[in-house]
Amino acid sequence: MAARAGAGAGGDDDIPLLDDLMPWSVRPLRTGRPWVTAPDTASLKARWARLVRAEGAERERLFGPTRSRGPRTPVAALPGQSTSTARFARESGPCPEPVRILHGPFDEQWLIPDHRLIDAARPELWRVADGHQLFAVEHGYVPQDAGPALSVTALLPDGHSAAGRPGRIRPLYRRPGGLEPNLAPGLLGLLRARHGDAVTAESVLAWIVTAARHSPAGCVVPLPADTTRWWAGVELGGELLRLQLRGARGGERPRLPGGRRPYVRAAVPAAPGTLEYDPDDEALLLGSGRISPVPAGAWEFRVGGVRMLELWFERRASADGADGLEAIRPRDWPREWTSELLELITVLALLTELRPRQQALADGPQLTTGDLRAAGVLPVAATARRPASVLDHQEEGPDGQFALL
């Protein structure tokens, strides 16, 4: 099998698509009502309490019915969740414990895990979400977007796109317990034959995080033909994963070296109405609050052309325009949000510092789509694009009936 140099005569046409390398993918979640997610758990519990106190037409209005969900819609339980399956119109109990999710790239929020409230919760993702699972989330394609093509999380991602068309969610494993890698059949064998038996599903994901880039056809992943570059990319990908996972799976939480760590220099006010950046002092200004040092790379970090720090702040700063249950939110800026902001600044700054190393690994001999076809890896079998049958127990259907699966 001959490797071809560079990107190939056909440009991105010669570079494998992520859709072929990790063939099973799931569309983003569609909540149908924004009030089921929030940056804090107290708001979600207060929204639930307000909703279940309401009756009749008032409950209907606050619920926000859609074609998929209403207070009387029969719905099965979410896998792994013990919430009621009775019609929500009869609900009077306490709020289910919110679960941590990744709301779009780099924004960790909370979700009420009740299938009766979510238009399209993607149960197949919940079935494989466990302590071994990692999710690769494609970012929507935007022309001239220089930001990352995907991110990785140990949390359940909703796949929300900051701009452009939402991408797909790709679990690393097709079954719970870290079983059956979601990789094209034959890909691991091909990479092990070229780069050694130490190649694992995790190292393939690490390379993907390092090398993935946007294209009009979708996210593409150049595969190196030379072993030295492969393992350099895997090592770098391990660093990128550690930063994005933020301490999950037993890793260390990201930290900048002493002297470069961001600190609160002036307390964030109760209602910071604006967010500004002072490039001369490397300071982030939240109203009268001040955080520094904040590297320019963290401030300018964009996905789909959208600054991540600005988007994070906008989702928390103001209730202007919100109505109904979504208007229930903290009156004052919680201290926890400031801590989360400091960590986000750290993550974005460190990811920016690693970009030159990623770019340095971009050129070199590659395995092309033609090489993958010759090895029998492509085309991918249709069964690899469908979820695995992972059920070893019955799931509760609407109104307590067992679901037929």
Side-chain angles (χ1 to χ4, degrees), residues 62 70 100 108 113 134 179 189 199 205 223 251 270 272 293-294 357:
L62 290 173
R100 195 70 157 158
E108 296 186 357
L134 296 176
L179 301 177
V199 175
L205 180 63
L223 292 176
V294 177
R357 288 175 59 188

Side-chain angles (χ1 to χ4, degrees), residues 35 45-56 58-59 62-63 88-96 114 116-117 325:
W35 60 263
K45 293 178 180 181
R47 293 170 185 178
W48 175 282
R50 173 70 182 88
L51 180 61
V52 298
R53 285 197 307 267
E55 297 180 354
E58 177 68 1
R59 178 176 288 205
L62 290 173
F63 186 97
F88 197 86
R90 303 195 297 267
E91 180 61 64
S92 60
C95 180
D114 193 313
R116 299 171 296 176
L117 307 180
L325 296 177

Side-chain angles (χ1 to χ4, degrees), residues 40 120 148 171 330 389 405:
D40 66 297
S389 177
L405 298 164

Side-chain angles (χ1 to χ4, degrees), residues 254-272:
R255 298 182 66 183
L256 281 160
R260 295 176 49 216
R261 293 174 192 160
Y263 287 97
V264 177
R265 310 297 177 175
V268 179

